Amino acid sequence: HTTNDLLERFLYYFLDLSLLDYKLFVSTSPSLLTASAVYLSRATLGISEGPISDRSSARKIFWSKTLEYYTSYAMKDLECTVKDLRMLHEEAEDNEFRNVYKKHTGSSQRGSIAHRIVLNESDLGFEM
């Protein structure tokens, strides 16, 4: 699979997971939810724009100026929603509504995306 194929599969997985959290799904605009899913997909696959020097360390940036331009969302606008989606991914296997997890772990066209390791919150590229 190409990186774009994997990115698309993760994007669908994270958007499907968002359906499990009523508050997140209803209170978040579709464009913000989608942009956040793109960000988390890029972070999970390690697609970065290169390190940015922080005071004490270098952190990766998973959001580009081009993505910011076309979505109208700065990286800081995505932080809360990205963290919510990450948490849904972490809890997906144990969720009482496991259909989304099962859908993305099977041998179907979507493959076993749900089995990917969940990023630590500190690895998402946001300032701590």
Side-chain angles (χ1 to χ4, degrees), residues 6-24:
L6 289 172
L7 184 71
E8 181 179 351
R9 288 165 53 200
F10 268 110
L11 177 61
Y12 286 127
Y13 174 57
F14 293 134
L15 290 174
D16 281 351
L17 282 176
S18 73
L19 297 170
L20 300 177
D21 185 330
Y22 178 80
K23 183 180 175 190
L24 174 68

Side-chain angles (χ1 to χ4, degrees), residues 10-120:
F10 268 110
L11 177 61
Y12 286 127
Y13 174 57
F14 293 134
L15 290 174
D16 281 351
L17 282 176
S18 73
L19 297 170
L20 300 177
D21 185 330
Y22 178 80
K23 183 180 175 190
L24 174 68
F25 186 73
V26 172
S27 66
T28 306
S29 73
S31 61
L32 177 58
L33 196 55
T34 304
S36 298
V38 168
Y39 183 98
L40 186 54
S41 299
R42 288 172 56 93
T44 302
L45 291 170
I47 302 170
S48 69
E49 300 303 309
I52 294 239
S53 294
D54 240 20
R55 291 181 195 98
S56 59
S57 66
R59 62 186 168 93
K60 288 187 174 182
I61 301 299
F62 302 107
W63 199 243
S64 69
K65 292 290 182 190
T66 303
L67 288 167
E68 184 175 331
Y69 175 81
Y70 283 108
T71 65
S72 301
Y73 291 110
M75 194 170 121
K76 65 180 174 37
D77 300 328
L78 307 175
E79 185 171 1
C80 290
T81 309
V82 168
K83 288 179 179 180
D84 289 342
L85 289 172
R86 189 209 70 80
M87 184 60 67
L88 287 170
H89 179 57
E90 183 176 328
E91 298 170 349
E93 188 173 4
D94 299 323
N95 190 297
E96 66 180 300
F97 305 108
R98 296 189 57 191
N99 287 341
V100 170
Y101 180 79
K102 288 179 184 178
K103 174 182 174 181
H104 293 275
T105 56
S107 60
S108 70
Q109 181 180 352
R110 296 221 190 303
S112 59
I113 289 296
H115 286 300
R116 289 287 182 129
I117 295 173
V118 179
L119 292 176
N120 290 319

